[in-house]
Amino acid sequence: GGRCRQLVKSFGGLPNVKITAVCDVWDQNLAEGQKVADPKAFATKQYEELLARKDVDAVLIGSPDHWHVPLTMDACKAGKDVYVEKPLTHDLSEGRAVIAAQNETKRVVQVGTQQRSMTHILKA
């Protein structure tokens, strides 16, 4: 969706970052994601296919909120580092499960709180 595309554009501009795959269940979002990714990027509607790829080191999760926990946990278990949009969880049990998956796999997990890093907020 729109928020994820915005993040992909930002991440794609970072040194040593290449958007090698995109995933979305909605055709329109998948097509838009392909436009901002590497021209040779793999595209799929099945996130498991993306997580199975050896050329994917980290994932950006900008899905609907209820998918944040399962996608983060599956990405960790697949050996991927994770940047996930807020909210990460809806209750404490989900938080404990994500922390356990991160600790078990030793992956990097960062939860996006863009309002903390927006230029005008930093200036204030």
Side-chain angles (χ1 to χ4, degrees):
R3 176 68 184 139
C4 195
R5 276 195 307 277
Q6 184 180 17
L7 290 169
V8 167
K9 288 177 187 176
S10 299
F11 282 30
L14 296 172
N16 301 314
V17 172
K18 181 178 178 183
I19 308 301
T20 60
V22 293
C23 179
D24 202 297
V25 297
W26 192 29
D27 291 333
Q28 181 179 344
N29 284 348
L30 187 60
E32 290 297 319
Q34 287 177 282
K35 290 178 186 176
V36 296
D38 184 81
K40 296 178 185 175
F42 173 76
T44 183
K45 291 183 175 187
Q46 302 294 322
Y47 79 92
E48 298 91 347
E49 292 178 359
L50 184 143
L51 293 179
R53 295 186 62 87
K54 300 292 185 210
D55 62 340
V56 174
D57 299 320
V59 296
L60 160 62
I61 300 172
S63 64
D65 295 352
H66 66 279
W67 275 101
H68 290 180
V69 169
L71 292 176
T72 298
M73 292 176 63
D74 286 351
C76 286
K77 291 173 185 172
K80 313 303 182 196
D81 293 328
V82 178
Y83 176 92
V84 58
E85 274 294 275
K86 64 175 177 15
L88 175 57
T89 66
H90 290 105
D91 64 55
L92 293 175
S93 66
E94 290 178 329
R96 285 190 276 279
V98 171
I99 291 169
Q102 184 276 323
N103 286 339
E104 178 182 307
T105 61
K106 306 294 187 226
R107 303 315 315 167
V108 174
V109 176
Q110 178 180 347
V111 180
T113 53
Q114 72 273 11
Q115 290 182 352
R116 302 287 190 261
S117 58
M118 291 176 162
T119 308
H120 66 284
I121 299 293
L122 289 174
K123 185 176 180 181

